[in-house]
Amino acid sequence: MSTHHSPPPAGPDGPAGLVGFTVDLTSQEMLQRAQVMAALGPDWDPVDVLRGEEEAYDLLYSGLDAEQQRTYDALVAAGVLPVRGGGRAAA
């Protein structure tokens, strides 16, 4: 016994029984952004945060031994890491 299924006939809104719709998430996204900013608090300073990240990267790449420095230089040359401290890791 074989069963044959035909697609439903198309109507002005697409296949019968289906209705097109859109969802605008803009208000939800704005609410989420407001909640993130509220969670960060009024003392959050993005410039200070970025400065702290730069200091952490400088510390991370400081005091490298010769082999580590070669690896660092190779990663900079390959474009994996940005140049720091004039092309050398900080001493």
Side-chain angles (χ1 to χ4, degrees):
M1 178 177 193
S2 136
T3 306
H4 178 70
H5 294 281
S6 299
D13 294 323
L18 299 179
V19 177
F21 68 95
T22 59
V23 177
D24 181 6
L25 298 176
T26 305
S27 63
Q28 182 64 27
E29 290 171 1
M30 292 305 293
L31 176 62
Q32 288 175 344
R33 288 179 187 183
Q35 290 170 337
V36 167
M37 293 307 292
L40 289 172
D43 296 330
W44 181 67
D45 181 359
V47 173
D48 190 45
V49 170
L50 290 174
R51 189 177 304 116
E53 286 181 5
E54 288 299 315
E55 290 171 3
Y57 279 120
D58 289 342
L59 184 59
L60 177 65
Y61 298 115
S62 67
L64 302 180
D65 63 28
E67 182 180 346
Q68 291 168 332
Q69 186 67 51
R70 280 192 301 276
T71 302
Y72 170 83
D73 292 340
L75 291 171
V76 168
V80 175
L81 292 175
V83 175
R84 302 187 84 77
R88 303 294 293 172

